[in-house]
Amino acid sequence: MKVVCIGDSLTYGYGVNRKESWIYLVENKYDVEIFNKGMNGDTTEGMILRFQRDVIENKSSYVMIMGGSNDLIMGIPLQIIQSNIDKMVNLAYENNINPIIGIQPFTEPKMANMYWSSTTDFNRVNENIEKYKEWAIQFEKTDHIRVIDFCSELNIHVTEENKHLFYIDGVHLTSKGHKIMANIEKLKAIFEN
């Protein structure tokens, strides 16, 4: 089985050693071939622009599409993000690739304001991630798209007191956060087939 994961720094594994990233951990756990096409700072529009090269030309069986955090931080409307994700899902289907939507983790607003931008409303970013999550889950029900909810899984573990164990800077995850992402039960159902 060949899988391409396309996304931003949350897919790339910004801030951790490659062998600590969730993609590397999943690849080794399930013995699947995964191409990490995460790009630091990318938006969903950028992902569409490189979808042909990074996904279709790799002739993968599956594509995990996870993006939108940078869009939200830049103030791009949620409807545009949803439209871009929908375009990538359709591109995957048109090329006989099974799409999977990954729902990105929430930010930790206080940490993110300290490390990234004191002017970005990361609480608003999280509100939009929640709306995106609701949309993706509905998309899963109506269009039978597989969705991996990294957001909810991490939210089970992260508290105000322990957030520094899971977040490097309020946006990107530590190796402990990546381990949680790699151990989501729904991944097993996909990659152990």
Side-chain angles (χ1 to χ4, degrees):
M1 179 188 299
K2 185 191 275 190
V3 181
V4 172
C5 293
I6 189 167
D8 53 29
S9 55
L10 295 168
T11 297
Y12 177 79
Y14 174 91
V16 295
N17 181 292
R18 187 181 78 83
K19 291 186 176 181
E20 295 175 323
S21 75
W22 69 272
I23 289 180
Y24 182 87
L25 297 171
V26 168
E27 185 174 39
N28 285 282
K29 183 174 186 174
Y30 298 109
D31 194 29
V32 294
E33 186 178 16
I34 301 180
F35 292 85
N36 186 339
K37 297 297 181 177
M39 183 180 288
N40 293 334
D42 206 5
T43 62
T44 54
E45 184 177 345
M47 291 162 60
I48 290 173
L49 293 173
R50 58 193 178 89
F51 202 86
Q52 174 71 35
R53 180 192 72 222
D54 287 352
V55 180
I56 297 167
E57 290 177 13
N58 270 303
K59 300 185 185 331
S60 60
S61 310
Y62 290 89
V63 59
M64 168 87 71
I65 303 164
M66 186 167 71
S69 293
N70 290 321
D71 302 63
L72 292 173
I73 290 168
M74 289 187 251
I76 294 170
L78 185 58
Q79 295 78 11
I80 291 174
I81 299 164
Q82 292 165 338
S83 174
N84 289 341
I85 297 292
D86 190 43
K87 283 177 190 169
M88 286 184 272
V89 165
N90 287 323
L91 283 169
Y93 278 135
E94 287 166 13
N95 289 278
N96 299 311
I97 300 167
N98 296 300
I100 305 163
I101 296 174
I103 301 173
Q104 68 271 40
F106 288 128
T107 65
E108 281 299 317
K110 288 180 189 171
M111 287 177 76
N113 282 140
M114 189 168 60
Y115 286 99
W116 289 99
S117 168
S118 60
T119 59
T120 300
D121 185 349
F122 284 97
N123 288 307
R124 179 70 186 256
V125 169
N126 285 349
E127 288 169 14
N128 281 311
I129 291 173
E130 181 64 37
K131 289 176 186 173
Y132 175 79
K133 181 172 74 162
E134 291 166 8
W135 170 82
I137 289 167
Q138 188 59 39
F139 198 13
E140 179 179 39
K141 289 176 185 171
T142 57
D143 291 56
H144 308 290
I145 307 292
R146 292 183 180 193
V147 172
I148 307 296
D149 188 355
F150 296 109
C151 182
S152 293
E153 188 66 28
L154 274 154
N155 212 34
I156 292 168
H157 300 274
V158 178
T159 66
E160 184 63 31
E161 294 74 33
N162 72 7
K163 63 186 177 184
H164 64 281
L165 298 175
F166 299 97
Y167 284 90
I168 295 168
D169 56 13
V171 174
H172 303 99
L173 301 174
T174 63
S175 58
K176 191 167 187 164
H178 280 268
K179 281 181 190 168
I180 290 169
M181 289 180 73
N183 287 318
I184 289 179
E185 194 65 26
K186 213 166 180 184
L187 289 170
K188 183 178 182 180
I190 296 168
F191 297 132
E192 280 196 346
N193 285 338

